[in-house]
Amino acid sequence: MKKHILSLAILSLFYTKSEACAWSDPDYDYFNLFTQTIIKDKSYLPFLHSYSTRFYTEFKPTQIPSENIESWRKFFNNQLTYSETDYLVNKMPMNDLNDLKRGNPNNPLLKKLGTGFYQRYSEGIDYLIEAKYLEPYMKINYVENPDSFFYTPAESDKNATNLDYNKTVAALTSLYNAAKNPEIRQRYGFQLVRFNHYTRNFDKALEAFKTYVEPVKLKGAPYFMALDQLAGAQRGLQMNSDANWNFFQVFMNSKSRKESAFVSMKLSDTASFNNILKRAGTSEEKNMAYFLLGYEDFANPIPLMEKMYDINPDSEILKVMAARSINELERSYLPTYYYTSDKTDNLSIQKDVPGNDKTSTPEVKENKKELSFWDKIVRFFKNLFGGSKSDKTGDGNKTDQSDDELLENPDRIPFFTENTNYYWPEDKPKDFLNELEKFTEKTKEKSKDEFWQISDAYLKFLKKDYKASTEILNDIKTGNPEYLEEIKRMKVLNDIVSQPKITAEYEDHLMKNYAEYFIEKEIKQDSTHTDEYNYYGPVPSTASFLKDVLANRYFLQGEDGKSFLMSNRLSDLQYNPNSSLVKSVEEFYRKPDKTQFEQQIIAKNMDDVGNIDAFFGVIYGDRAMRTGDFEKAKSYYQKAQGFIGIPRLNYDWVSSTQPKVPHQYTAGEYNGFRNISSLIFGHNVWESFESSDDISMAAEDYSQFPFIKSSMNKLEIADALIQLKKLAGGKDEKAAKANQLIGNLLYNTSILGYYRHLYVMDVDNSNGGKYDFWATDKKTPYQYYYKNFLSTSYIEPDNFDLAIGYYKKALDLSTDKEDKARILFQMASAEQGKYYQYEAKNTANVDYSDPKWSEKTDAHEKQLHEIKNQKFRTYFALLKTQYADTETSRSLMGSCSYFNYFMKK
């Protein structure tokens, strides 16, 4: 897992797409279905594609063997395993080797090898003793820049300058001359080059390489270790071209030092690459130079891959480039969340909401296939005999789509989207899928490696040509276990994504053949496991991708409830209780003949709200209350009396070991249904959502209405409203007060009221997404499926005309001037809500790049101000012209700054 939080935080400053969590890791933003690590040459694993780290890190270090350890194994005639050799060379204490040399080994490994091991390999053991003595000092002496802003403490007090220079050089030279084995002699030469490099005797380092390393005429691990040090010394002498070339040679010929050699090359400009290309004498060197160029500049890899293909279509580094290219495409085709690409994020009241005078227009999809004459005939008869259009559910009659229509839907995952994450504006993703597919098709004919066939099949999967992809996979003959695993997974992907419609029969097929991808396995966490490994949440997997695919398919089919539950729990509806979605989820809940897949995979997400019928009853009752249908609300609330409370979790932010437990509501606490103050029928006297209700709200005179109790539940409130509504039909002052109280409740529970949380399933009135004035022009803001449901708000807007309607009746019936002034102010407040809705629907939408941005936005603001005063200040104007002399008006001027401003202007 990634631990590079600081570097990621810095990069996040330039991140152009905001995530729900500011610490998001871009390498968690796609599914990695094409496993990059299937490349055969594991020494190139660090050069696979990664956004969050400079080099790819999601592999075990042991996957890249050290050529130095392999060289030592060969020296010891393979008597030791790789791990034993690594322990002997890198970890065994120097004293243990000295004990062996004295004929008294104490180390278990050396005991097993016996005293004869030293006699056979004495030169090698003596070298290791010397190397272990030198190793703690083999660091360059760090010199702090006096002008440096940062202080860099030394990692260790020891460095090469702590050794006596002349004695060390003399000792190494003597050992070099005494050694009989050429490889051991060259290793002493490496130590001489390194020691001179780290003591900043750069000229002598170059001389040592020529004197002690080159003459041995070996080009194994010790040679390239020495060459690495030579290049470092050349860098110190500002011989940058020679340094780059030698680091380049190390990069080409070393397995374990590729990453460090690449960093040391410092290929920061085109000239550096050109110098390497000019010096490249062999095809392999030219090929490698093109690889490095492609690695550094990855905007469009195909042209460079073509050059590499011309040199060697079967080279390993060409496969690395292909794996990186596929990964880059996959990030755009298979992100973990498809951002909505439309720009209709303005408020729109649904056409079925009373008082709405604007109907939404259906979304027009681009790239729609032109229907043939025969298709039109078929569709005509389907419509003719397929039943009433009003019987269809969802937008655009989703349930009445043919297999072809479903397969051709442009929102069918996977598809290319530019709404993926990138750090720099110029790095916007490019869709080079067609080019890469042509290149892969060509290369698989030349190369014998099945990698290219797998790649071709995967690219066809991204292009939605599932038949061709499966045919290629079926023809591949390989014994490579990593290839076989990738082929198996891709066959599953092709099967599921190629299904036009997810039917009950196909759900049975999923459970029979692919249950392992959908049934979650319990993961036991080790007690020593730290939170940093879970910092970004679970790693996106094939199983999570398939769940997204199915959620998207259900969404496109019009089965919104199933789509929602594939990605969310039932309790998540509390955050955005949109009526149409709730209805679809309830329909699935009440479905009598659920398939095994529906029972085990989907329905399991409905177990966290207690009494499910009561949960739905509260949501439906709340919606009925907001639309003024108190009788319907009462009928729903009667079914909700078993409601255990809005499902919330208690978190311990201090200790990660504490579980997240469901919140237990106390006896007098508001839980979404009970313990509601009678102040809900009162009026606002202090604009403060943070204050307690007895400070922000004032009661009306309830003496004529004994059914209004000091504390009520929602059923009792609905019943009280029904009684008030009956009384409101009269012609006296009691009827006036009844109308006013109903109007008060409707306003107080609107987005502007103190009790705005009561009928949107929230526990308090603190701010949040559900209190936004915006929505979309579509029935739902979700374009693909209900993933990241909690990050998108959409609740049907308030209908302020309902409250205004009751206030008008109260105003007409009331004879008290003070009461009339109070009612007018309440009407003006509700009218203010209508303006906010209008304003949200009519945003400027001026691009920041527009040179006249300021001029246009100012003009728009001016126009809104004029419209506000002309159309949305009706009741403020009446209050000013007819009731300015009332005590109520004078009191309001002291508590409402805007009203004070309006009255004085």
Side-chain angles (χ1 to χ4, degrees):
M1 298 298 170
K2 304 292 185 291
K3 308 184 194 72
H4 310 277
I5 296 175
L6 179 59
S7 60
L8 183 61
I10 295 170
L11 284 171
S12 295
L13 294 175
F14 304 100
Y15 214 58
T16 58
K17 285 291 180 186
S18 174
E19 295 291 329
C21 174
W23 295 99
S24 72
D25 184 337
D27 283 342
Y28 278 59
D29 288 339
Y30 75 109
F31 289 100
N32 194 23
L33 298 183
F34 182 87
T35 309
Q36 295 185 85
T37 53
I38 66 173
I39 59 173
K40 289 181 178 177
D41 190 340
K42 303 304 182 185
S43 66
Y44 289 99
L45 288 175
F47 298 89
L48 294 174
H49 208 10
S50 173
Y51 277 151
S52 58
T53 54
R54 183 174 186 185
F55 296 100
Y56 185 79
T57 60
E58 294 300 298
F59 62 90
K60 296 178 181 178
T62 54
Q63 288 183 265
I64 304 178
S66 166
E67 61 275 6
N68 184 42
I69 301 303
E70 291 176 337
S71 179
W72 277 111
R73 275 200 75 195
K74 187 177 179 182
F75 177 84
F76 293 125
N77 292 307
N78 296 318
Q79 281 187 248
L80 288 78
T81 64
Y82 182 92
S83 59
E84 288 174 335
T85 308
D86 180 50
Y87 173 69
L88 176 68
V89 173
N90 292 322
K91 303 179 182 71
M92 184 177 287
M94 180 177 64
N95 290 337
D96 286 0
L97 292 179
N98 277 320
D99 289 342
L100 174 68
K101 184 175 181 177
R102 287 190 290 265
N104 186 29
N106 294 307
N107 185 284
L109 175 60
L110 297 180
K111 278 185 176 181
K112 184 180 77 170
L113 293 171
T115 54
F117 186 75
Y118 176 75
Q119 278 76 35
R120 287 193 300 275
Y121 308 110
S122 58
E123 283 195 349
I125 300 299
D126 287 343
Y127 169 80
L128 286 173
I129 291 171
E130 181 67 16
K132 287 177 184 291
Y133 168 73
L134 293 173
E135 192 61 32
Y137 299 94
M138 286 301 104
K139 301 182 185 70
I140 200 162
N141 59 321
Y142 179 77
V143 179
E144 183 76 43
N145 185 335
D147 298 324
S148 175
F149 181 77
F150 296 100
Y151 167 69
T152 307
E155 293 182 7
S156 168
D157 292 336
K158 295 180 179 179
N159 64 69
T161 61
N162 297 135
L163 295 171
D164 185 292
Y165 178 81
N166 292 325
K167 286 183 179 180
T168 304
V169 170
L172 288 172
T173 304
S174 175
L175 290 167
Y176 175 89
N177 291 326
K180 302 284 192 297
N181 185 289
E183 182 180 332
I184 298 302
R185 296 188 74 194
Q186 199 173 52
R187 286 185 181 278
Y188 284 119
F190 153 70
Q191 295 289 356
L192 281 163
V193 177
R194 181 167 70 154
F195 180 63
N196 279 293
H197 174 203
Y198 288 163
T199 54
R200 299 184 187 273
N201 290 292
F202 301 134
D203 286 320
K204 291 182 179 179
L206 272 61
E207 182 182 341
F209 186 84
K210 291 180 181 179
T211 305
Y212 302 111
V213 177
E214 281 187 331
V216 178
K217 303 297 183 183
L218 292 178
K219 289 202 173 180
Y223 174 84
F224 289 105
M225 290 163 63
L227 188 65
D228 196 20
Q229 295 297 322
L230 170 68
Q234 288 171 329
R235 181 79 70 203
L237 294 170
Q238 303 300 312
M239 299 168 61
N240 291 329
S241 180
D242 289 337
N244 276 352
W245 177 253
N246 285 323
F247 281 130
F248 177 68
Q249 293 297 319
V250 174
F251 180 89
M252 282 187 61
N253 294 280
S254 170
K255 294 179 180 177
S256 59
R257 306 180 73 83
K258 287 190 187 298
E259 186 177 321
S260 64
F262 179 84
V263 172
S264 299
M265 270 188 269
K266 298 184 179 179
L267 300 174
S268 58
D269 52 54
T270 306
S272 299
F273 283 107
N274 289 337
N275 287 333
I276 289 178
L277 272 174
K278 288 177 184 177
R279 296 180 69 163
T282 67
S283 296
E284 185 181 1
E285 289 173 340
K286 290 179 180 177
N287 207 18
M288 190 63 71
Y290 285 131
F291 169 77
L292 293 178
L293 180 59
Y295 178 80
E296 281 292 85
D297 183 12
F298 207 67
N300 185 355
I302 307 300
L304 281 171
M305 290 173 67
E306 291 284 2
K307 291 179 182 292
M308 296 170 68
Y309 172 88
D310 292 339
I311 296 171
N312 180 8
D314 205 32
S315 71
E316 287 299 314
I317 51 177
L318 184 55
K319 295 162 196 167
V320 177
M321 288 291 287
R324 286 174 56 85
S325 303
I326 292 172
N327 184 274
E328 175 70 15
L329 283 172
E330 186 177 308
R331 291 169 186 268
S332 294
Y333 276 89
L334 301 174
T336 55
Y337 178 62
Y338 288 80
Y339 292 93
T340 301
S341 60
D342 66 350
K343 296 180 180 180
T344 56
D345 283 339
N346 297 321
L347 176 69
S348 175
I349 303 175
Q350 281 184 252
K351 60 184 178 182
D352 59 338
V353 177
N356 175 33
D357 58 359
K358 180 179 178 180
T359 58
S360 60
T361 57
E363 182 188 6
V364 178
K365 295 288 184 186
E366 296 181 359
N367 304 321
K368 211 161 190 178
K369 182 180 177 184
E370 184 67 26
L371 293 176
S372 67
F373 178 70
W374 176 250
D375 288 335
K376 291 177 181 177
I377 293 176
V378 171
R379 182 166 294 184
F380 170 77
F381 281 104
K382 274 188 176 182
N383 291 335
L384 185 62
F385 299 110
S388 168
K389 290 290 182 185
S390 62
D391 295 335
K392 308 298 187 291
T393 61
D395 289 336
N397 302 316
K398 289 181 179 180
T399 58
D400 191 33
Q401 299 174 86
S402 68
D403 285 357
D404 286 343
E405 288 174 310
L406 288 167
L407 286 169
E408 292 163 9
N409 193 307
D411 292 337
R412 185 180 173 89
I413 297 173
F415 61 88
F416 181 82
T417 172
E418 291 187 358
N419 292 315
T420 50
N421 296 319
Y422 47 85
Y423 289 124
W424 312 105
E426 61 269 23
D427 288 341
K428 286 185 179 181
K430 297 176 177 61
D431 190 2
F432 51 86
L433 176 56
N434 290 332
E435 295 174 76
L436 186 57
E437 182 192 28
K438 291 176 183 177
F439 179 85
T440 304
E441 287 176 342
K442 175 178 67 173
T443 309
K444 76 176 184 180
E445 300 300 325
K446 290 282 187 179
S447 174
K448 298 176 182 178
D449 196 329
E450 299 89 356
F451 170 89
W452 294 104
Q453 293 169 274
I454 295 172
S455 299
D456 190 29
Y458 188 79
L459 294 174
K460 286 178 169 52
F461 158 75
L462 291 182
K463 292 188 72 174
K464 303 183 183 181
D465 191 351
Y466 309 122
K467 181 180 178 182
S469 179
T470 302
E471 289 174 353
I472 294 170
L473 295 171
N474 288 335
D475 290 339
I476 297 175
K477 302 293 187 291
T478 182
N480 184 312
E482 290 184 299
Y483 287 1
L484 290 171
E485 180 62 30
E486 183 70 19
I487 291 168
K488 174 188 173 184
R489 180 164 66 250
M490 288 176 60
K491 285 181 177 179
V492 174
L493 295 174
N494 279 328
D495 183 355
I496 294 177
V497 297
S498 63
Q499 181 67 16
K501 186 172 186 178
I502 309 302
T503 61
E505 292 74 20
Y506 193 74
E507 288 174 341
D508 291 338
H509 169 72
L510 292 176
M511 290 303 292
K512 180 180 178 181
N513 297 285
Y514 309 129
E516 62 190 276
Y517 290 103
F518 299 102
I519 297 177
E520 296 176 2
K521 297 177 183 177
E522 183 180 355
I523 300 175
K524 294 183 179 179
Q525 184 169 306
D526 190 279
S527 59
T528 61
H529 196 71
T530 58
D531 277 349
E532 64 184 344
Y533 292 100
N534 291 323
Y535 194 84
Y536 302 105
V539 180
S541 63
T542 301
S544 53
F545 168 74
L546 292 176
K547 287 185 178 181
D548 278 10
V549 167
L550 291 178
N552 175 250
R553 298 297 192 260
Y554 289 134
F555 183 81
L556 298 178
Q557 293 171 198
E559 297 180 80
D560 289 51
K562 291 171 70 173
S563 176
F564 171 82
L565 290 169
M566 284 297 297
S567 305
N568 306 276
R569 302 193 70 78
L570 179 60
S571 59
D572 291 337
L573 283 175
Q574 67 183 290
Y575 297 102
N576 300 301
N578 171 254
S579 300
S580 60
L581 175 58
V582 173
K583 181 180 179 183
S584 184
V585 175
E586 188 200 18
E587 286 173 354
F588 171 74
Y589 162 62
R590 301 195 185 285
K591 182 181 177 183
D593 53 346
K594 293 184 180 70
T595 65
Q596 184 185 2
F597 184 86
E598 290 174 327
Q599 292 175 43
Q600 292 186 233
I601 309 304
I602 305 178
K604 69 178 180 60
N605 289 325
M606 305 184 73
D607 62 352
D608 62 341
V609 299
N611 187 317
I612 296 178
D613 291 304
F615 180 76
F616 282 119
V618 170
I619 293 179
Y620 286 135
D622 287 353
R623 180 58 190 157
M625 290 290 280
R626 294 177 73 226
T627 59
D629 194 337
F630 310 129
E631 291 80 6
K632 182 184 286 187
K634 180 179 179 180
S635 69
Y636 282 122
Y637 287 145
Q638 285 172 334
K639 302 173 186 176
Q641 296 181 75
F643 186 63
I644 63 171
I646 296 174
R648 295 291 164 100
L649 293 176
N650 291 334
Y651 295 86
D652 188 331
W653 297 105
V654 178
S655 173
S656 60
T657 60
Q658 293 295 322
K660 301 168 186 176
V661 297
H663 177 71
Q664 300 296 318
Y665 291 91
T666 59
E669 184 180 6
Y670 172 68
N671 74 338
F673 185 75
R674 69 184 184 213
N675 299 319
I676 303 168
S677 169
S678 61
L679 289 170
I680 192 173
F681 289 100
H683 61 266
N684 181 270
V685 293
W686 182 256
E687 189 67 31
S688 174
F689 287 104
E690 293 80 16
S691 302
S692 61
D693 55 1
D694 58 346
I695 293 176
S696 291
M697 303 295 294
E700 304 286 356
D701 180 5
Y702 307 138
S703 58
Q704 301 180 77
F705 314 103
F707 47 82
I708 297 180
K709 297 180 288 185
S710 60
S711 179
M712 295 175 283
N713 62 35
K714 287 184 174 179
L715 176 60
E716 292 169 326
I717 290 176
D719 186 65
L721 285 165
I722 291 171
Q723 296 185 60
L724 285 172
K725 193 174 178 181
K726 291 179 181 176
L727 295 171
K731 301 295 183 181
D732 54 5
E733 286 291 332
K734 188 174 184 179
K737 180 57 73 173
N739 277 292
Q740 184 183 1
L741 293 181
I742 297 173
N744 282 355
L745 181 135
L746 290 171
Y747 176 78
N748 290 336
T749 56
S750 74
I751 189 173
L752 297 178
Y754 182 87
Y755 294 98
R756 60 184 182 173
H757 57 289
L758 254 64
Y759 298 132
V760 290
M761 201 171 250
D762 209 343
V763 292
D764 59 42
N765 61 24
S766 58
N767 211 349
K770 64 178 62 178
Y771 303 127
D772 292 335
F773 272 100
W774 67 271
T776 75
D777 284 333
K778 298 181 297 183
K779 191 173 183 180
T780 169
Y782 301 91
Q783 189 169 349
Y784 308 118
Y785 52 116
Y786 291 97
K787 192 170 184 181
N788 285 24
F789 176 76
L790 303 184
S791 66
T792 305
S793 299
Y794 183 71
I795 295 176
E796 295 91 344
D798 293 302
N799 181 10
F800 287 100
D801 284 328
L802 286 172
I804 291 172
Y806 283 104
Y807 282 138
K808 279 184 177 178
K809 294 176 184 176
L811 186 67
D812 292 340
L813 293 171
S814 179
T815 57
D816 184 276
K817 195 171 185 180
E818 293 293 337
D819 284 346
K820 284 179 175 286
R822 164 60 62 186
I823 294 167
L824 273 172
F825 180 76
Q826 293 296 105
M827 294 172 75
S829 299
E831 192 177 40
Q832 180 82 351
K834 293 185 66 175
Y835 168 72
Y836 290 143
Q837 290 178 338
Y838 174 86
E839 183 183 57
K841 283 192 292 184
N842 294 274
T843 56
N845 289 328
V846 182
D847 196 293
Y848 284 112
S849 61
D850 191 323
K852 295 186 177 181
W853 179 85
S854 180
E855 179 184 333
K856 290 180 179 179
T857 52
D858 288 347
H860 179 73
E861 287 296 320
K862 182 180 179 181
Q863 182 186 35
L864 285 177
H865 186 72
E866 291 174 352
I867 291 172
K868 176 169 61 176
N869 287 318
Q870 292 170 6
K871 297 184 178 181
F872 296 97
R873 290 293 175 266
T874 310
Y875 307 113
F876 269 135
L878 280 174
L879 198 54
K880 179 178 181 179
T881 57
Q882 299 181 26
Y883 296 88
D885 59 339
T886 61
E887 183 61 34
T888 300
S889 291
R890 285 191 288 271
S891 174
L892 288 169
M893 287 176 67
S895 61
C896 178
S897 58
Y898 183 84
F899 181 62
N900 184 34
Y901 164 77
F902 184 85
M903 293 291 282
K904 291 181 177 180
K905 72 173 184 176

